[in-house]
Amino acid sequence: MEPTPEQSPHHAYPDHWEADVVLRDGGTARIRPITTDDAERLVSFYEQVSDESKYYRFFAPYPRLSAKDVHRFTHHDYVDRVGLAVTIGGEFIATVRFDRIDEQGRPASAPADEAEVAFLVQDAHQGRGVASALLEHIAAVARERGIVRFAAEVLPANNKMIKVFRDAGYTQQRSFEDGSVHLTLDLEPTAASLAVQRGREQRAEARSVQRLLAPGSVVVVGTGRAPGGVGRTVLRNLLGSGFTGRAYAVNRSFAAEQATVEGVPAHRSVGEIGEQVDLAIVAVPAERVPEAVADCGEHGVQGLVVLSAGYAERGAEGRERQRELVRQARSYGMRIIGPNAFGIINTSDAVRLNASLAPESPAPGRIGLFTQSGAIGIALLSGLHRRGAGLSTFISAGNRADVSGNDFLQYWFEDQDTDVALLYLESLGNPRKFTRLARRTAAVKPVVVVKGARHSGSTPPGHAVPVSRIPDATVSALMRQAGVIRVDTVTEMVDAGLLLADQPLPAGPRVAILGNSESLGLLTYDACLAEGLRPRPPRDLTTAAGPQDFRDALAEALSDQTCDAVIVTAIPWVGENGEAETGEGEVLAAALREAAATGPAKPVAVVHVEIGGLAEALAAAASTATPAGGSGTGEPAQAPYATGAPATVGAGERGPGGEPPAGAPRPDASRAGTAAREGNGRDGAAGRGGSGTAERGEGPDEALGPQPRTWRIPAYPAAERAVRALSEAVKYAQWRRQAAVPGKIPEFLDETIDEPGAATLIEELLGTSPDPKGRPLTHDEAAELLGRYGIAVRPALPALDPQAAVAAAERLGYPVALKTTAPHLRHRADLGGVRLDLANESALGRAYGELTELLGTPAELRPVVQAMAPRGVDTVVRASIDAAAGAVLSFGLAGAPSELLGDVAHRLVPATDRDAAELIRSIRAAPVLFGWRGSAPADTAALEELLLRVSRLVDDHPEVVSVALEPVVVATQGLTVLGASVRLAPPPARTDLGPRRLPNY
């Protein structure tokens, strides 16, 4: 909205305060500043507020607003007087305003830093989290305008408003004065307020997804009059899945007398249906979508799945059409999957929703699948079906203009029907948020990601996302840090997903291999070594081994305390006539399932070659045996890992990180049924690899005692695929164990860091009007700034002529190094730009002459002289801020390892002591630092401390947009920073801080 003439140009309309938010019940609303054009909206809003709410707002009966009131509440300077409104469908549902006051509570202007705040929420929308969202936004506005605290007067009976303030997480004080509660809130964000904000964000966004996936009624807008076409196909698939709710068909071209289509009521508009509809599947041409969205929004539809194409994938015009689609839908409080979507599926028995173009719903299962590509979605559904795997939910989001993978991570985090999350992503709309959500979700259930369009400039045209400059290798490293299992192909994603969904996590990398083929066992052994596992020598059962031999061998391997996982290899038996007998697959599968079900909880995978029926039988959900060691008391065994707080267990019942200790009985994974959409969750145990809950109700299993378990053992057609999936499970399990005890930032850093001094220096260096592109610091400036954080840079004195070089050497002391600092020769010892160990004036003069003769004039070379550092390993430490991903800390060895081979490790800032230790040890050339080939080990403790100091610098001061320390020579004791470059710039905008808001792409 544009400012009106009555508003000072100096205080122009702040459009950056506008935001779409998700409310507690999953609906959306828009928050924006109130303007002078809102007088009629304000009056209409106030007329719909109850007398009680008006009394709570004004402390007296106040039936209507006077003209003076309306003028006051719609005229703001956006500095000392600010008003925000929450709108749905363009109409107000809530307002908040603040007025700056002085110490006596009188109207004031800056530099007064306190403001009085007041809220009013329409009664019909109370309880939706509207006031909580408004408080976040008005507090952010106040901080922007230099206000540090809010004062509020609340009647004691107004418990809802008192609770809003109390639960916000801000530091506050309360007193009772003159019959009202006086509240003071400090607006500086705290750990508590940030936790509250993110907790509300998670619940709201999860609820918004749940409304899409579990509707009580669905309408297909664009159902064809004749068989065929997208709309008619989706309706048929919806009915074919056994949808438990009500279904409707809408097409404006239906004849007036047409009552049904495919057996469901047919209407010419959503408005004709005459009752609440939760979800609309839109399958009309793009030019007719706005009409359909308006019809849905005006009649209370809660969410949309837009299958229609013709949006951002078609260029600039389509991109603007897509933005307008999102704006229109959100104005009605609706969220969108799509456009250009393939659809959604929910296999829960309480819903049975197939609102997609997939002709058949997958079997119910424990895997949640999100994809940004319809074609990939089809391939994944087909592949999972062939492997006998079921899904809890499936989402193909198309251009994902609104609902994205981040929203589904929020949903799956607490979804009790999903044990593993699989995501095929072609773009990351909010990488910082994705990393945060993925880390939290991965702490309770595996997250497996395939990233398509990995190379710069190849983002699909339908995906308008922030541009990230960091390479894909860095993205992969940051995902690993967050616990995400990053794989390269959709086949690998399915392979890993099957193992994680149906098998417990391994306690370590030790692998037992057994089977009836020596050759296949050796291939498996080699694959294990290549993936960093620790295989035992394969056990050859010989080709004469039968199913019972496999059962006994597997049971023995599972009971062996020296192995953490088992890979079974199998080839067809050869009969007496020399022909392969391939029909024993079901018998072998039964034997393996029996051994796995009754043995200790360790993952089992099968590699087979052309054994008919084996993979299908292993994947079948067949009952086997009651839990090993069952007492008959009805207590279910504990799940391998669970969401939320773990259920109470006795001492010694669980291993590190929540996994069962080696040798423990396998946990009960029976599924007695699917929880109702609004119920307390599924019964009993969380299931293998699953997401349990501490809030278990008494389900059928608990009433009946130990129940038969169902095991699915993943089967693979190649040893390499099975081993790669197991390797990912091993690495993930290790991450889980480490994440259970998070790293720390050592306190001793605080004693040697001058954060205020660095801030003052940065402010001076940037100046009052900094260049948005920033500025590089000189050597001396960089050394001074780094020194404030305890990072000493070895002095380098300029040597513009031989005499200056000699003078510098005498000042520093021999031996010295002579090196060029010209950009094209910097750090290029291979080009002769660095001369070391110059012991005297003669050697220095000779080196100076050679440099200038071979490489150029002193003015071109910019030579400097440095005192020699103790011998050690040359390394590189860097930190940079990416606008999309955030601050990244990097480490590698100097020269060819990092520059030619890309052997560089990365971690997100702020880094902990564990991150620093892992950073050093995760590069391939790490042995060089730890005494490789008999050399003396480097001082890695000093190196870790340096990494932590650099991390603190860029985390404390976002104006430090890049730091490069090269080389850092790490000796056996201590280290020396020989070169440093620092760049300052105005800090980039943070997308992961501030009040909750939906992204606008």
Side-chain angles (χ1 to χ4, degrees):
M1 302 180 68
E2 297 298 325
T4 65
E6 293 185 55
Q7 295 161 354
S8 167
H10 182 66
H11 303 145
Y13 179 82
D15 54 8
H16 63 287
W17 293 351
E18 296 181 355
D20 293 314
V21 297
V22 183
L23 302 177
R24 182 181 300 156
D25 61 358
T28 66
R30 186 161 186 79
I31 295 177
R32 66 167 177 82
I34 297 173
T35 74
T36 55
D37 296 332
D38 290 320
E40 292 184 7
R41 294 186 185 90
L42 180 65
V43 171
S44 174
F45 156 73
Y46 193 77
E47 289 175 350
Q48 299 177 62
V49 175
S50 70
D51 290 340
E52 181 183 53
S53 294
K54 293 174 182 176
Y55 186 89
Y56 285 154
R57 169 65 177 85
F58 293 103
F59 292 19
Y62 215 86
R64 63 186 58 83
L65 296 175
S66 66
K68 183 178 180 181
D69 292 329
V70 173
H71 184 276
R72 177 187 171 208
F73 293 149
T74 56
H75 287 68
H76 305 94
D77 62 10
Y78 302 129
V79 176
D80 301 324
R81 302 184 314 282
V82 173
L84 301 180
V86 183
T87 67
I88 295 179
E91 298 301 320
F92 285 9
I93 66 166
T95 63
V96 64
R97 63 175 283 113
F98 74 67
D99 293 271
R100 195 187 300 260
I101 57 176
D102 60 19
E103 295 178 355
Q104 286 74 41
R106 297 172 301 196
S109 298
D113 59 3
E114 184 172 335
E116 187 175 31
V117 65
F119 296 75
L120 186 60
V121 181
Q122 215 172 75
D123 294 69
H125 295 277
Q126 292 178 11
R128 300 184 66 196
V130 176
S132 298
L134 265 180
L135 178 56
E136 289 179 20
H137 283 261
I138 197 69
V141 169
R143 289 192 296 268
E144 181 181 329
R145 294 311 193 205
I147 292 171
V148 300
R149 80 184 60 83
F150 275 158
E153 300 290 336
V154 186
L155 288 175
N158 193 356
N159 293 318
K160 291 181 181 179
M161 200 64 241
I162 293 175
K163 188 175 188 299
V164 168
F165 288 120
R166 185 186 67 223
D167 294 348
Y170 294 114
T171 302
Q172 57 184 274
Q173 296 177 340
R174 287 196 291 175
S175 61
F176 189 76
E177 302 174 10
D178 299 328
S180 66
V181 178
H182 180 77
L183 292 163
T184 302
L185 277 76
D186 292 335
L187 300 184
E188 180 66 26
T190 65
S193 68
L194 185 60
V196 167
Q197 179 178 311
R198 289 179 172 173
R200 288 170 174 166
E201 174 192 64
Q202 187 276 323
R203 291 188 293 273
E205 293 180 359
R207 176 60 179 162
S208 73
V209 171
Q210 196 266 348
R211 297 205 316 179
L212 294 165
L213 289 175
S217 53
V218 175
V219 58
V220 180
V221 180
T223 303
R225 289 174 292 176
V230 173
R232 192 70 171 259
T233 298
V234 172
L235 179 61
R236 190 164 55 249
N237 295 342
L238 178 69
L239 300 175
S241 66
F243 177 55
T244 59
R246 304 179 306 279
Y248 306 93
V250 164
N251 188 327
R252 67 179 184 179
S253 299
F254 283 155
E257 63 274 11
Q258 186 166 358
T260 63
V261 172
E262 301 283 352
V264 305
H267 301 276
R268 285 180 290 183
S269 70
V270 175
E272 286 186 4
I273 295 175
E275 58 183 88
Q276 172 73 40
V277 177
D278 297 330
L279 178 67
I281 314 300
V282 179
V284 299
E287 60 270 16
R288 287 179 46 201
V289 168
E291 174 189 345
V293 172
D295 188 22
C296 292
E298 290 168 3
H299 295 94
V301 174
Q302 295 182 346
L304 306 172
V305 177
V306 180
L307 308 183
S308 312
Y311 288 88
E313 77 277 8
R314 299 287 177 86
E317 182 179 349
R319 190 174 298 112
E320 183 54 39
R321 184 184 296 125
Q322 182 168 297
R323 292 193 180 105
E324 182 54 39
L325 167 64
V326 173
R327 284 193 290 265
Q328 184 185 16
R330 288 180 179 173
S331 72
Y332 289 110
M334 299 184 294
R335 300 210 68 184
I336 299 174
I337 292 179
N340 197 24
F342 185 75
I344 59 175
I345 297 173
N346 184 354
T347 64
S348 168
D349 192 57
V351 184
R352 296 199 298 272
L353 172 73
N354 180 7
S356 77
L357 295 170
E360 294 183 9
S361 287
R366 312 298 303 173
I367 297 174
L369 175 60
F370 175 90
T371 171
Q372 292 179 353
S373 163
I376 296 297
I378 295 170
L380 286 169
L381 286 174
S382 176
L384 288 166
H385 175 73
R386 287 196 307 271
R387 304 283 290 276
L391 294 176
S392 61
T393 44
F394 165 79
I395 308 94
S396 175
N399 294 359
R400 67 115 184 88
D402 180 25
V403 178
S404 69
N406 285 349
D407 295 287
F408 283 94
L409 283 176
Q410 300 275 40
Y411 173 76
W412 283 326
F413 170 70
E414 61 180 13
D415 178 38
Q416 299 175 31
D417 289 333
T418 300
D419 293 341
V420 180
L422 307 183
L423 298 96
Y424 170 78
L425 305 175
E426 293 177 344
S427 60
L428 294 175
N430 189 337
R432 293 180 194 247
K433 184 176 179 179
F434 174 82
T435 301
R436 170 169 57 86
L437 300 185
R439 177 188 288 273
R440 185 190 60 188
T441 304
V444 295
K445 61 186 68 174
V447 177
V448 188
V449 171
V450 173
K451 178 69 169 61
R454 291 180 292 176
H455 302 291
S456 177
S458 59
T459 299
H463 298 216
V465 298
V467 176
S468 176
R469 300 185 302 273
I470 60 177
D472 182 69
T474 307
V475 174
S476 183
L478 300 183
M479 284 190 178
R480 292 283 182 185
Q481 183 187 2
V484 173
I485 300 170
R486 169 81 183 270
V487 294
D488 293 329
T489 69
V490 293
T491 301
E492 291 178 358
M493 180 166 70
V494 172
D495 286 345
L498 292 178
L499 183 72
L500 292 163
D502 293 313
Q503 297 294 307
L505 291 178
R510 302 169 300 178
V511 182
I513 303 168
L514 61 92
N516 63 351
S517 168
E518 182 180 10
S519 298
L520 192 53
L522 290 174
L523 285 173
T524 305
Y525 182 86
D526 291 342
C528 286
L529 290 176
E531 290 292 334
L533 301 177
R534 292 163 51 192
R536 294 171 49 189
R539 178 178 177 182
D540 183 14
L541 304 179
T542 77
T543 56
Q548 186 62 33
D549 298 311
F550 274 88
R551 183 202 177 285
D552 294 343
L554 177 56
E556 181 181 343
L558 289 171
S559 299
D560 189 342
Q561 296 293 320
T562 65
C563 89
D564 305 307
V566 182
I567 297 179
V568 178
T569 63
I571 62 173
W573 289 270
V574 179
E576 296 180 358
N577 59 0
E579 295 183 0
E581 298 178 2
T582 60
E584 297 294 324
E586 293 183 1
V587 179
L588 176 58
L592 295 175
R593 281 204 309 265
E594 182 181 357
T598 56
K602 298 177 183 178
V604 178
V606 173
V607 178
H608 71 100
V609 177
E610 299 298 333
I611 299 183
L614 176 61
E616 294 80 1
L618 288 171
S623 297
T624 55
T626 55
S631 63
T633 63
E635 275 301 314
Q638 295 300 317
Y641 38 93
T643 53
T648 303
V649 294
E653 291 182 9
R654 297 177 71 84
E659 282 74 42
R666 297 167 89 80
D668 182 8
S670 57
R671 316 290 188 193
T674 304
R677 274 172 280 159
E678 301 296 333
N680 291 327
R682 57 188 163 87
D683 57 323
R688 313 182 69 198
S691 56
T693 175
E695 300 178 0
R696 296 193 317 227
E698 281 196 88
D701 288 358
E702 297 177 21
L704 298 176
Q707 297 297 301
R709 287 173 295 173
T710 58
W711 297 115
R712 289 185 175 92
I713 299 177
Y716 302 88
E720 295 79 10
R721 289 174 57 179
V723 171
R724 191 172 296 118
L726 179 59
S727 173
E728 296 295 351
V730 168
K731 287 182 282 190
Y732 171 68
Q734 181 182 13
W735 180 88
R736 282 282 300 274
R737 289 189 290 271
Q738 293 176 343
V741 184
K744 301 177 181 178
I745 299 177
E747 295 182 0
F748 73 84
L749 291 180
D750 295 330
E751 303 171 0
T752 56
I753 287 177
D754 180 12
E755 181 179 345
T760 301
L761 178 60
I762 290 171
E763 185 177 357
E764 293 174 356
L765 293 172
L766 278 176
T768 55
S769 301
D771 185 345
K773 297 180 180 179
R775 56 157 292 200
L777 301 188
T778 66
H779 178 275
D780 291 343
E781 290 171 340
E784 182 180 2
L785 177 59
L786 292 168
R788 301 294 172 94
Y789 272 72
I791 302 170
V793 181
R794 180 150 291 208
L797 303 181
L800 297 180
D801 54 49
Q803 294 74 26
V806 171
E810 291 176 348
R811 177 179 172 186
L812 297 172
Y814 289 100
V816 296
L818 176 68
K819 53 188 180 181
T820 66
T821 59
H824 66 289
L825 294 172
R826 190 176 179 84
H827 308 308
R828 292 298 306 274
D830 56 313
L831 297 180
V834 179
R835 303 299 170 92
L836 304 175
D837 284 321
L838 305 176
N840 49 49
E841 181 178 344
S842 175
L844 177 59
R846 188 165 52 251
Y848 199 100
E850 292 172 356
L851 276 183
T852 54
E853 181 179 349
L854 292 174
L855 301 176
T857 66
E860 296 171 331
L861 301 181
R862 306 179 204 171
V864 297
V865 174
Q866 264 186 331
M868 285 295 298
R871 294 288 185 178
V873 180
D874 289 358
T875 65
V876 182
V877 174
R878 291 191 176 94
S880 61
I881 294 182
D882 181 83
V888 179
L889 183 66
S890 304
F891 171 76
L893 298 191
S898 59
E899 296 177 13
L900 179 62
L901 302 179
D903 187 16
V904 181
H906 311 276
R907 290 294 185 275
L908 283 176
V909 169
T912 65
D913 53 356
R914 177 177 294 161
D915 292 327
E918 291 176 352
L919 200 59
I920 294 170
R921 290 158 178 81
S922 58
I923 60 173
R924 296 191 297 277
V928 174
L929 294 163
F930 294 92
W932 182 62
R933 300 182 71 175
S935 61
D939 189 349
T940 53
L943 186 55
E944 291 170 15
E945 180 180 330
L946 175 65
L947 289 166
L948 290 171
R949 291 183 183 278
V950 173
S951 171
R952 276 286 301 272
L953 173 63
V954 296
D955 187 47
D956 291 344
H957 307 284
E959 300 88 350
V960 182
V961 294
S962 70
V963 176
L965 308 182
E966 182 180 5
V968 177
V969 182
V970 189
T972 55
Q973 290 187 349
L975 56 76
T976 307
V977 179
L978 296 182
S981 60
V982 177
R983 187 174 188 84
L984 301 181
R990 293 288 298 268
T991 58
D992 60 331
L993 298 178
R996 292 172 281 158
R997 63 172 61 216
L998 288 171
N1000 290 308
Y1001 300 126

